[in-house]
Amino acid sequence: MKHIVRLALLCSFPFSVLAEPLTVDSSQAMQYEGKQVRVCGELIQLRDFKKGIYLNLDDNYPNSSITFVIWNRMLPKIERKLGEMPSLKNKQVCGTGTVDSYKGNLRMNINSRYNLEVSPAD
């Protein structure tokens, strides 16, 4: 009986939870506002602020396609994984999270060291 219950629970588990999020180019991020996606683009500008750092893709702020926000509490963990943030400038980076808007600009909070990666060179 235990095996039947386990099988029933396994079959009812939403496998979409395990699926990788859709990967989109940073220039298309606005189409995915409010959705969980993986956004990739060229890191053009880094800007420190009191509580963290902004990573602006494709252009300088305020003309960037999207801004990845890394809060100070996450920064050491991400830098242990990827190296210091300035070393990522002009590289293709991907962030996974929810695209949202703040003061008219798209952004994504990077809440885990696993949510930011450098794309392999072509």
Side-chain angles (χ1 to χ4, degrees):
M1 183 66 171
K2 284 183 183 178
H3 297 296
I4 294 172
V5 171
R6 287 182 186 159
L7 182 59
L9 288 173
L10 182 61
C11 290
S12 67
F13 185 77
F15 286 100
S16 61
V17 170
L18 301 175
E20 289 288 322
L22 177 67
T23 298
V24 299
D25 186 81
S26 53
S27 64
Q28 303 300 312
M30 72 180 88
Q31 297 174 26
Y32 297 92
E33 189 171 346
K35 298 201 173 10
Q36 172 102 9
V37 291
R38 180 175 178 255
V39 176
C40 299
E42 184 178 359
L43 176 57
I44 298 296
Q45 181 186 42
L46 297 97
R47 292 183 58 198
D48 291 318
F49 69 106
K50 187 175 182 178
K51 296 182 180 181
I53 188 168
Y54 298 123
L55 308 180
N56 294 309
L57 275 55
D58 303 323
D59 204 345
N60 291 328
Y61 179 85
N63 299 314
S64 57
S65 298
I66 189 167
T67 298
F68 294 158
V69 181
I70 302 175
W71 302 97
N72 284 334
R73 63 182 165 71
M74 286 307 313
L75 194 55
K77 294 175 185 177
I78 292 172
E79 287 188 326
R80 273 196 299 275
K81 177 186 171 199
L82 299 175
E84 292 188 13
M85 288 296 110
S87 70
L88 303 180
K89 190 170 180 183
N90 300 317
K91 292 187 178 179
Q92 290 290 316
V93 297
C94 297
T96 301
T98 301
V99 176
D100 66 11
S101 180
Y102 180 74
K103 295 185 178 181
N105 296 295
L106 290 181
R107 72 174 185 179
M108 177 183 290
N109 287 312
I110 304 298
N111 296 316
S112 166
R113 65 179 177 204
Y114 303 109
N115 289 9
L116 184 69
E117 57 191 294
V118 178
S119 294
D122 294 296

